[in-house]
């Protein structure tokens, strides 16, 4: 939780974020993910003026449990002084105890964001999905929270001006925007009307640009002229120098006298690598998320 301290920007965790999206597709499958195609509604996670603190927190927690498809999980929410924004006790269930920082007693609009992250920890615990190391595991949690329709709350909790700043979660604002855009492209949902923070909307549009750029990389036919020109140069080089690296997301394999040249590249939806023969225009289907890709190899 950055509260008054400098907020980190940019994409320092992008490789881990992409690996988290791949891991989520592998664990839940494309069909399983479509159960989360609709995000949690703002009305279900907001605090009305005059709402009781504890009853309101329990109501929001229940809405997030439903969003994350944890029907038999009961969240017990309390408040205390602590360094972090929140914590959850992971056990066998069905009851889980979440503690929120005392500051949320007066910053109630962000309770949903803090709860979303902690309840996703419960979901990942039940799914048996984790990354090695605390940092990468927290990035996984933020990514999954966002991709499953609750993480727009975390981005909306980001506010920054010349005097103060606040951000929840481990991703940068732009990385939250990136994952939200990936989700929007996959499920056809636009989260931008839900933002109450102008800075959150700016971060979303920045992340969306990067997400759209993923779908414009060679050998995809949507790649621009400069990318196609560089790809053609790398392809010629790979034919004459098998095993040479490109330093770019795509890579060539084979190319010797006894093997045909193949190209591998990340799927723009789930980031699993796809390998196809180099033979002009082809249509490829990702085996993980089943996205159909038009390619010019």
């Amino acid at each position: 939780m950055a509260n008054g301290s400098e907020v980190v920007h940019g994409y320092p965790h992008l490789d881990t974020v992409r690996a988290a999206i791949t891991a989520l597709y592998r664990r839940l499958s494309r069909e399983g993910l479509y159960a989360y195609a609709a995000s949690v509604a703002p009305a279900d996670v907001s605090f009305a003026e005059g709402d009781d603190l504890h009853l309101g927190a329990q109501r929001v927690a229940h809405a997030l449990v439903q969003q994350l498809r944890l029907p038999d999980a009961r969240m017990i929410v309390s408040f205390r002084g602590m360094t972090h924004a929140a914590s959850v006790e992971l056990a066998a269930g069905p009851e889980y105890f979440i503690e929120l920082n005392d500051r949320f007693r007066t910053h109630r609009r962000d309770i949903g964001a803090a709860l979303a992250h902690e309840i996703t920890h419960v979901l990942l615990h039940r799914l048996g999905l984790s990354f090695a190391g605390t940092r990468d595991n927290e990035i996984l949690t933020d990514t999954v929270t966002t991709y499953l329709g609750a993480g727009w709350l975390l981005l909306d909790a980001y506010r920054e001006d010349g005097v103060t700043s606040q951000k929840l979660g481990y991703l940068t604002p732009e990385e939250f925007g990136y994952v939200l855009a990936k989700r929007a492209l996959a499920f056809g949902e636009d989260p931008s009307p839900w933002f109450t923070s102008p800075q959150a909307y700016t971060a979303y549009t920045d992340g969306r640009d990067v997400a759209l750029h993923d779908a414009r990389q060679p050998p995809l036919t949507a790649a621009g002229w400069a990318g196609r020109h560089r790809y053609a140069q790398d392809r010629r080089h790979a034919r004459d120098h098998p095993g040479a690296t490109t330093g770019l997301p795509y890579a060539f394999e084979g190319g010797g006298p006894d093997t045909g040249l193949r190209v591998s590249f990340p799927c723009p939806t789930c980031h699993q690598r796809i390998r196809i023969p180099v033979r002009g225009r082809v249509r490829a289907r990702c085996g993980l998320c089943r996205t159909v890709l038009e390619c010019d190899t």
Side-chain angles (χ1 to χ4, degrees):
M1 176 176 63
N3 185 24
S5 58
E6 182 179 356
V7 174
V8 176
H9 289 278
Y11 301 90
H13 315 112
L14 195 54
D15 287 345
T16 307
V17 167
R18 288 167 171 164
I21 293 174
T22 305
L24 185 60
Y25 269 92
R26 287 176 178 161
R27 183 62 183 84
L28 291 184
S29 79
R30 175 180 178 270
E31 291 77 12
L33 283 170
Y34 268 91
Y36 300 87
S39 290
V40 65
D44 293 338
V45 289
S46 63
F47 264 80
E49 188 174 344
D51 274 359
D52 179 84
L53 174 64
H54 291 87
L55 292 178
Q58 292 296 151
R59 174 181 56 80
V60 172
H62 179 68
L64 291 166
V65 165
Q66 290 185 312
Q67 173 65 31
L68 295 172
R69 305 295 188 266
L70 286 165
D72 59 342
R74 183 179 175 218
M75 305 296 157
I76 310 300
V77 184
S78 62
F79 298 81
R80 71 173 177 88
M82 55 197 304
T83 302
H84 299 293
S87 65
V88 62
E89 178 184 316
L90 295 177
E95 291 186 342
Y96 296 87
F97 296 89
I98 297 176
E99 293 181 318
L100 298 182
N101 192 299
D102 265 338
R103 68 181 298 271
F104 291 112
R105 292 178 181 273
T106 54
H107 292 76
R108 299 184 180 188
R109 63 181 286 189
D110 298 324
I111 285 177
L115 288 174
H117 178 94
E118 300 307 321
I119 294 172
T120 302
H121 271 301
V122 174
L123 173 65
L124 293 174
H125 177 68
R126 289 192 167 197
L127 292 176
L129 180 58
S130 64
F131 280 179
T134 300
R135 169 190 170 275
D136 286 358
N137 205 52
E138 293 292 354
I139 292 169
L140 169 68
T141 303
D142 276 345
T143 302
V144 171
T145 306
T146 305
Y147 209 86
L148 297 186
W152 67 267
L153 288 161
L154 283 158
L155 179 54
D156 197 42
Y158 161 55
R159 291 180 286 279
E160 190 170 18
D161 56 36
V163 179
T164 62
S165 62
Q166 172 186 286
K167 185 186 77 69
L168 298 179
Y170 289 74
L171 300 185
T172 69
E174 293 78 15
E175 287 168 341
F176 274 120
Y178 174 83
V179 182
L180 275 174
K182 285 289 189 181
R183 171 186 166 78
L185 291 169
F187 302 122
E189 181 185 71
D190 179 12
S192 57
W194 306 328
F195 295 130
T196 61
S197 164
Q199 294 86 5
Y201 179 78
T202 300
Y204 171 66
T205 58
D206 191 307
R208 184 177 60 192
D209 288 343
V210 177
L212 291 172
H213 185 66
D214 287 348
R216 296 170 183 157
Q217 292 291 306
L220 301 174
T221 57
W225 180 88
R228 297 295 311 151
H229 181 68
R230 170 65 189 271
Y231 178 85
Q233 289 181 318
D234 288 337
R235 181 177 57 201
R236 286 194 296 269
H237 186 75
R239 292 188 191 278
D240 298 331
H241 304 84
T245 60
T246 66
L248 293 169
Y250 58 83
F252 294 100
E253 304 167 0
D258 300 322
T259 59
L261 191 64
R262 297 172 66 86
V263 63
S264 69
F265 59 97
C267 170
T269 299
C270 70
H271 296 284
Q272 175 172 267
R273 291 196 74 83
I274 299 170
R275 290 171 174 81
I276 55 177
V278 173
R279 60 185 184 196
R281 286 192 171 246
V282 297
R283 178 175 290 175
R285 183 190 295 272
C286 176
L288 182 57
C289 68
R290 301 183 189 175
T291 301
V292 176
L293 304 168
E294 299 290 340
C295 306
D296 188 354
T297 60

